[in-house]
Amino acid sequence: MCNDELAAAQAYVRLLEATRAALAEPDDGPLYVPLLASPIAEADGALERAGLFGNESRFFDLVSSLQPSMSGSGR
């Protein structure tokens, strides 16, 4: 995995974690959703730099290599 690919996978994991945290309390969700703008922008930029736009299969293989529990296969 090259540095740009690693950065993209890590940015996605951070975005996923931030989204989970923002949505953990349904009553407070609307207050926290605007805080996702920064992690979304980071993930978008990292995907573009890594050349992973349109290559979701490769991207999710990279993510699952960082966080195997996200693959759903128990790897």
Side-chain angles (χ1 to χ4, degrees):
M1 180 178 326
C2 76
N3 288 339
D4 286 341
E5 291 173 338
L6 177 60
Q10 289 172 331
Y12 174 77
V13 169
R14 283 190 292 276
L15 173 59
L16 184 61
E17 290 170 352
T19 302
R20 285 181 177 155
L23 299 176
E25 294 293 330
D27 293 338
D28 295 332
L31 297 172
Y32 298 119
V33 169
L35 299 176
L36 297 176
S38 179
I40 290 170
E42 177 194 12
D44 283 347
L47 285 168
E48 186 173 352
R49 287 187 296 280
L52 292 169
F53 276 131
N55 194 350
E56 290 82 7
S57 177
R58 171 77 178 130
F59 174 68
F60 285 111
D61 285 345
L62 296 170
V63 170
S64 67
S65 73
L66 286 178
Q67 198 159 352
S69 64
M70 296 178 76
S71 70
S73 65
R75 291 193 275 167

